[in-house]
Amino acid sequence: MTEIIIVFLLLIPLILIGCKAESADLPVVVDKNAVFEKATFAGGCFWCLEGPFEKLPGVVEAVAGYTGGHTKNPTYEEVCTGKTGHYEVIQISYDPSKTTYEQLLNIFWRQIDPTDPGGQFADRGTQYYTAIFYHSEEQKKIAEKSKEELDKSGLYDKPVVTEILKATEFYKAEDYHQDYYKKCPVRYKTYRYGSGRDTYLENIWKDEKSEKKYKKPSDEELKKKLTPVQYSVTQENGTEPPFKNEYWNNKKEGIYVDIVTGEPLFTSLDKFDSGCGWPSFTKAIDTDTIEEKTDTAYGMVRTEVRSKNSDSHLGHVFNDGPGPAGLRYCINSASIRFIPVEDLEKEGYSEYLKLFKK
């Protein structure tokens, strides 16, 4: 463990150098009539919390900042001393009609070690303590219940020590900290892995994933279940023709699930017409359902998108989308199946009905 921390500390200067100071993302388009609520979480380095929350339907933005301290307008350098009393936090604005506070808490717990009283992973000190800052009595009750259930779950051999505190004044962090995972993806991933966070979380939550519910059939079963095009795309990394596939122009409301396992991957709420001839989405339903890999086929360097549980080839993701993350998930119709809103309950996906409530 000592060796890992030393290597991690040596990497920090490389991580902080050479990143753009401004994000190229387009502005978020929101419903002017919607009423948004706030949620604030401290989970160690705030770089590691933005991505998981920003990709959740209903989340308008996740802003890195500082709270809980005793000085006004603290800088990153001041907070890093541990003398201002501030926590590094993410403050989330979300639409409660599209996502719930419980869902936000579920994501939060899956990003941290809530049993660590001294910081998070390689980051030590009070500024890296974990905490839930509630904005209402209702949030406080939900957070206390969620913490109690987690403590009794048997996941940990030590007590959950994450504090539940009343929200105080929030100070937005410097621009170069905002959306760091998008501005500097390679450095971000190097930092995250080097800190030990990814390895820990994978070990803790490995039995909580949905392998059982969304288990991949055998290859023999797949050949019987899938059409030749579906098999070629998902199992052999094939590509279907643009503008001549099932969903490229589908405008109905509903969700898109993995053709192999049935696991939910995308929603029509995040689908847009990119003009490329394949279904395009600004984000996935849940970042835990997909994974990205470098694809160097055909003399190009692209980012491939695969389904985690089935390991199916889905398509590619590009940095030219219109959403808050500026992403375009270009997905083969042959790798997904569409379930319209009116069939969600019948097909066992009733928990996604709330996304489509007006």
Side-chain angles (χ1 to χ4, degrees):
M1 183 63 184
T2 302
E3 291 81 359
I4 292 175
I5 293 177
I6 291 173
V7 172
F8 167 75
L9 292 174
L10 290 173
L11 286 170
I12 288 178
L14 296 176
I15 292 169
L16 292 173
I17 294 173
C19 293
K20 295 179 181 179
E22 296 295 335
S23 171
D25 293 342
L26 296 175
V28 181
V29 178
V30 298
D31 181 355
K32 293 181 180 179
N33 297 318
V35 177
F36 302 119
E37 295 184 6
K38 292 189 181 300
T40 304
F41 302 110
C45 176
F46 44 28
W47 291 350
C48 297
L49 295 187
E50 284 182 292
F53 286 110
E54 286 189 338
K55 295 178 181 178
L56 182 70
V59 170
V60 179
E61 64 176 350
V63 179
Y66 317 109
T67 198
H70 50 75
T71 63
K72 297 284 186 180
N73 301 310
T75 65
Y76 178 66
E77 288 74 18
E78 290 171 340
V79 172
C80 281
T81 67
K83 296 178 180 180
T84 69
H86 290 90
Y87 296 69
E88 286 195 11
V89 298
I90 291 295
Q91 186 160 101
I92 298 157
S93 295
Y94 69 100
D95 183 346
S97 70
K98 297 261 191 318
T99 194
T100 65
Y101 192 62
E102 288 89 346
Q103 287 176 301
L104 295 175
L105 285 168
N106 286 337
I107 290 179
F108 171 65
W109 294 128
R110 284 163 173 74
Q111 312 308 316
I112 67 169
D113 175 3
T115 69
D116 188 344
Q120 285 293 281
F121 311 104
D123 295 315
R124 316 311 299 166
T126 57
Q127 67 271 34
Y128 298 116
Y129 285 5
T130 63
I132 298 166
F133 290 89
Y134 62 88
H135 292 263
S136 67
E137 286 302 310
E138 180 65 17
Q139 283 191 355
K140 180 182 179 182
K141 291 178 183 177
I142 294 171
E144 288 174 340
K145 180 181 178 182
S146 180
K147 177 181 175 179
E148 181 181 359
E149 290 175 349
L150 186 70
D151 207 15
K152 294 178 179 178
S153 68
L155 276 175
Y156 309 102
D157 56 7
K158 294 182 290 185
V160 173
V161 297
T162 298
E163 293 185 284
I164 299 174
L165 306 170
K166 187 174 182 178
T168 56
E169 190 165 3
F170 171 81
Y171 300 95
K172 184 178 179 180
E174 294 80 352
D175 286 344
Y176 67 90
H177 285 302
Q178 305 302 328
D179 292 325
Y180 188 88
Y181 75 101
K182 290 185 288 188
K183 296 174 183 174
C184 307
V186 175
R187 294 180 179 87
Y188 165 71
K189 289 176 182 178
T190 300
Y191 158 77
R192 187 179 171 108
Y193 180 80
S195 72
R197 186 184 293 257
D198 283 342
T199 301
Y200 172 84
L201 295 176
E202 184 175 343
N203 288 332
I204 286 292
W205 293 101
K206 61 185 177 182
D207 294 331
E208 292 293 308
K209 293 182 180 179
S210 52
E211 288 91 349
K212 291 183 179 180
K213 183 177 180 181
Y214 300 115
K215 186 177 179 181
K216 181 180 180 179
S218 67
D219 191 62
E220 183 179 348
E221 292 174 302
L222 285 177
K223 287 180 177 177
K224 293 179 181 178
K225 173 183 178 180
L226 304 178
T227 67
V229 172
Q230 290 169 341
Y231 186 88
S232 172
V233 168
T234 60
Q235 307 304 303
E236 299 173 336
N237 300 336
T239 301
E240 64 194 3
F243 303 104
K244 294 181 180 179
N245 53 79
E246 191 171 2
Y247 302 126
W248 77 272
N249 199 32
N250 182 31
K251 295 181 172 61
K252 295 180 180 179
E253 288 192 332
I255 67 173
Y256 294 83
V257 303
D258 188 332
I259 192 68
V260 171
T261 63
E263 183 171 23
L265 298 175
F266 301 96
T267 166
S268 62
L269 298 171
D270 304 311
K271 189 173 186 290
F272 69 100
D273 182 6
S274 67
C276 70
W278 289 281
S280 297
F281 305 88
T282 58
K283 60 185 176 182
I285 283 181
D286 187 338
T287 54
D288 286 338
T289 65
I290 62 173
E291 61 182 358
E292 299 174 5
K293 295 183 177 181
T294 300
D295 178 7
T296 58
Y298 306 107
M300 298 182 286
V301 179
R302 297 177 294 173
T303 302
E304 180 194 11
V305 181
R306 302 187 71 86
S307 174
K308 274 192 179 178
N309 282 330
S310 68
D311 192 34
S312 293
H313 171 71
L314 301 176
H316 294 85
V317 61
F318 302 94
N319 294 314
D320 58 5
L327 300 177
R328 169 172 61 96
Y329 288 88
C330 184
I331 306 299
N332 288 279
S333 291
S335 65
I336 53 181
R337 180 170 72 90
F338 176 69
I339 302 176
V341 171
E342 60 268 23
D343 292 339
L344 288 177
E345 186 170 7
K346 179 179 67 177
E347 296 216 22
Y349 298 94
S350 58
E351 66 266 37
Y352 295 98
L353 282 169
K354 62 179 176 291
L355 298 179
F356 302 95
K357 291 181 179 178
K358 303 299 183 181

